[in-house]
Amino acid sequence: MAGTDLNLPRFNQILLQVLPNAQLHLTTEQALAFSVNLSAFALTARASVVMLQAHHADLVLAPSAHATNNSQQWFLLYVWEAAEFTDNANSCTLQAGDLLLIHSSSSASLRPQINLNCTIIALREQCVGHWQTLFRQACNQRFCADSGWARLLSVYIRELNEPFMERISTVPSDQAVCLDTVLSLAVMMMGQAVPHGLAGRAPDRQRQARHKLYTDITLWLYLNFGEVSLTGKKVAREFRISVRTLHKLFREFNDSASFAIFLNNIRMWNARNMLRDSLLGHLSIGDIGWLCGFADPAHFGKVFKKYYSITPGQMRNSVNGNDEPEAPC
């Protein structure tokens, strides 16, 4: 919806239906040229993509007095233009492309330098699941989109424009892939940034350097997982370290997955999303296995079934039959 003469109180009533604790405030009482554009697209019953543009207005978040645990949400906010973010404790300047994680129980405001222009991924509390601790640690933290996983997520969200969202709005499997991708990249982004911001002591520069190297390796794996001959030795050679150092980095910074398991997780996650993507329906299962780093279709099918308890063909058929596997939330 859009309007150049839209009444602000009326618009805020509409906005509350999309973002329960959000309101627009005019930057000045004399700002008569207020105009706004709002688009919202559901991903699942528990997540949505909201695109908001406004002139001469700030976005203000305030916890609702009627909020319940079931209505609590997380907002992953992407800014298209520079803006000043302020919460109860501090403030920071967001540059175009930066990301910010906010909880609906927070009191905060986003004041644009020129125009309010942002995309918000709204996630209900249940959507975050077992990542709750990580999300709480990253709450109100700015993620600069100049490198690493934040850059990758920033690029992905930038592509969630209205034509794309309208295309997937009637395809549940594509919506699930979109949400799964946002959540997975967000978790990797927060995992990269949060550890250095939590310690109350002086930063350990050597550990920071090792963590940056680990992050660079995981990002490289995400971008190159489709190489059939990808081994620990090849990755170690790419980063000019020993295989022993490679495995040591994963033991130090990933308590749930070794190098081999991490690579397999990325391959299986991408394979599942490719099988659910309606635009890739023309590819054979063998083709998808090849794109995910498996030269042998039979081996791909065996690994996939061990991982998801169904075969790649059953995964694709369940989507085509509208028996869509549940999204991660």
Side-chain angles (χ1 to χ4, degrees):
M1 60 155 291
T4 55
D5 299 313
L6 188 67
N7 178 276
L8 181 58
R10 173 57 183 152
F11 174 79
N12 278 332
Q13 290 177 354
I14 297 170
L15 183 61
L16 284 174
Q17 300 174 27
V18 180
L19 301 173
N21 69 326
Q23 297 276 275
L24 290 187
H25 290 184
L26 294 180
T27 52
T28 67
E29 294 295 333
Q30 291 75 34
L32 301 178
F34 168 72
S35 62
V36 66
N37 190 322
L38 173 69
S39 300
F41 300 88
L43 290 178
T44 69
R46 299 175 180 173
S48 59
V49 177
V50 179
M51 303 169 192
L52 179 61
Q53 296 174 307
H55 302 287
H56 307 294
D58 301 338
L59 178 64
V60 177
L61 303 172
S64 171
H66 306 290
T68 64
N69 289 337
N70 291 333
S71 64
Q72 296 293 327
Q73 297 191 56
W74 291 94
F75 302 130
L76 182 61
L77 188 147
Y78 169 94
V79 295
W80 292 81
E81 300 182 46
E84 188 76 14
F85 171 78
T86 304
D87 63 12
N88 289 330
N90 48 49
S91 65
C92 65
T93 300
L94 303 175
Q95 301 299 328
D98 285 356
L99 297 132
L100 184 75
L101 183 70
I102 313 171
H103 192 260
S104 61
S105 63
S106 302
S107 295
S109 66
L110 188 69
R111 169 162 288 187
Q113 292 183 4
I114 302 176
N115 297 314
L116 179 65
N117 191 353
C118 59
T119 297
I120 301 171
I121 312 295
L123 307 165
R124 290 199 178 277
E125 198 82 42
Q126 308 95 310
C127 209
V128 176
H130 61 275
W131 293 314
Q132 285 284 356
T133 300
L134 181 60
F135 271 62
R136 290 193 193 99
Q137 292 170 345
C139 188
N140 292 1
Q141 180 168 329
R142 172 203 178 202
F143 297 95
C144 184
D146 60 357
S147 63
W149 289 94
R151 182 176 183 181
L152 203 59
L153 179 57
S154 178
V155 170
Y156 185 80
I157 293 180
R158 192 165 66 237
E159 297 302 314
L160 302 184
N161 52 34
E162 291 193 22
F164 175 82
M165 297 308 303
E166 288 172 354
R167 182 186 69 78
I168 71 171
S169 63
T170 58
V171 188
S173 60
D174 288 353
Q175 293 174 339
V177 169
C178 179
L179 177 57
D180 195 14
T181 302
V182 168
L183 277 172
S184 299
L185 294 179
V187 167
M188 294 303 295
M189 175 188 72
M190 288 183 276
Q192 173 188 353
V194 165
H196 302 320
L198 297 179
R201 57 185 182 278
D204 181 338
R205 294 188 180 279
Q206 290 186 344
R207 190 171 190 277
Q208 285 185 334
R210 293 196 304 275
H211 188 269
K212 182 181 183 304
L213 177 59
Y214 165 77
T215 298
D216 290 344
I217 291 171
T218 59
L219 187 60
W220 189 90
L221 288 173
Y222 181 86
L223 298 173
N224 296 275
F225 69 90
E227 291 189 23
V228 173
S229 58
L230 194 55
T231 63
K233 185 175 181 180
K234 182 172 184 177
V235 174
R237 186 167 59 247
E238 176 73 22
F239 286 88
R240 299 181 181 180
I241 58 176
S242 67
V243 175
R244 181 181 178 184
T245 298
L246 174 67
H247 293 303
K248 187 177 179 180
L249 287 170
F250 274 83
R251 286 196 300 270
E252 182 176 5
F253 297 109
N254 194 326
D255 56 6
S256 62
S258 63
F259 163 77
I261 292 175
F262 184 90
L263 176 58
N264 193 57
N265 286 347
I266 290 178
R267 284 174 164 170
M268 289 297 99
W269 173 72
N270 277 281
R272 183 184 69 162
N273 281 349
M274 288 180 184
L275 289 165
R276 296 189 298 174
D277 192 329
S278 65
L279 291 181
L280 300 181
H282 63 286
L283 295 179
S284 70
I285 290 174
D287 290 338
I288 288 177
W290 177 266
L291 291 172
C292 292
F294 293 87
D296 181 3
H299 180 56
F300 168 60
K302 182 178 179 180
V303 174
F304 190 93
K305 185 172 183 179
K306 182 178 180 181
Y307 203 89
Y308 290 113
S309 300
I310 60 175
T311 66
Q314 288 171 327
M315 173 67 75
R316 172 169 277 177
N317 290 338
S318 69
V319 173
N320 293 337
N322 293 323
D323 182 17
E324 169 63 13
E326 290 187 5
C329 63

